[in-house]
Amino acid sequence: AGISLAVRARSQEFAIGTKSCDTIEGLRGTIGDENTVTYVVDLLQEGQKLVTVQGRFINIGAYDGLVEDPLADSLRKRPKAAALAAEMNPKLCRKHRKNLPHVTLWCDMVKPDTVWTMIESWIPPTSPAWEETNNGGLDVKELPVDVVKIDIDSYDCALLEELMHGSFREGAGGHYLLRLKPSIVVMETNDSIPPPIQMSLRYHRSLSTLNLESDFCDGNLPLAGCSLSYQVSIMAKLGFGLIMYTTGNAIFAKNSLLPYLRMASEGQIEGPLNEIECYGIALIGAQCAGPRQIRRWYHEGLPAWQVLEEITDHLKVIERDFDLPALPILLTL
């Protein structure tokens, strides 16, 4: 209900997820004011599926640890959780330390070329917390984590891919690969780019000094972060399915956990959800892309390649109007 024929046709052609998004409304009715991440983490704990007794968490872009953070409640009620948070704003980092003193803090910018330094300083690769395997002659060390959240208003997906694909290191025994092994991944999404367009701001060192927020746009410019379709695509390849999409946020669960979450939630958590239909029933938080543009790109049945072309042109106009350099943006279907 509520999904146009044009969107259904687009869904049949491009959607990766297969489950109906109707479960989202039922889940919201069940959990009320509680956020979905809190509910999911509680279910994992009840099923003794957390990595440690109270869990292990990584929060990149943590603000002060509490304000509008989907991990806030989970960390507040788990004072013995193993948790790492990154926040580059010194004032907010000090507030975070006061709000959640048990969380290890990284008060600096996180980049794909420094993120492993941050993680290794938290839990060194020599720790038994890392799981060691051998994959075709390659030694691999994976750090199991219950939830990874990324919200940095920039190269979010580039950072996620670095964590999931891993980084080579050299030790006494030779080279090995470090990578994360999360159960749940929480991502901010760029709602201005509707499915099936895949958009991702890639990393470049010049982005370290570039602010992509604008009062005129009432938030981030549509150049920041990555789109829902891009996230769903990369996460599907990594063995994860979409279980929730709300304004500006997507939650993914490891496919092996989906049967348990479905059972424990009495059918109210499903996955992988159809990302194209989910976008159509969510309250969209698009900045500097007006309702008329979103309607044209998503609802009106234009050929997908035409939508891609129009969005490409729109982002170029944003770069020009805000006096920005040409940014390393990936755009595709």
Side-chain angles (χ1 to χ4, degrees), residues 25 68 132 135 154 209 224 242 267 278 290 302 327:
E25 286 304 319
E68 296 182 357
E132 298 188 30
N135 187 357
S154 187
T209 57
L242 179 70
C278 284
L302 298 178
L327 298 178

Side-chain angles (χ1 to χ4, degrees), residues 8 27 54 77 101 111 116 130 135 176 274 300-301 310:
R8 290 191 185 280
L27 180 58
Q54 290 202 355
K77 62 185 182 181
K111 302 179 287 186
W116 288 107
W130 293 80
N135 187 357
Y176 58 92
N274 182 316
E300 294 187 358
E310 291 188 11

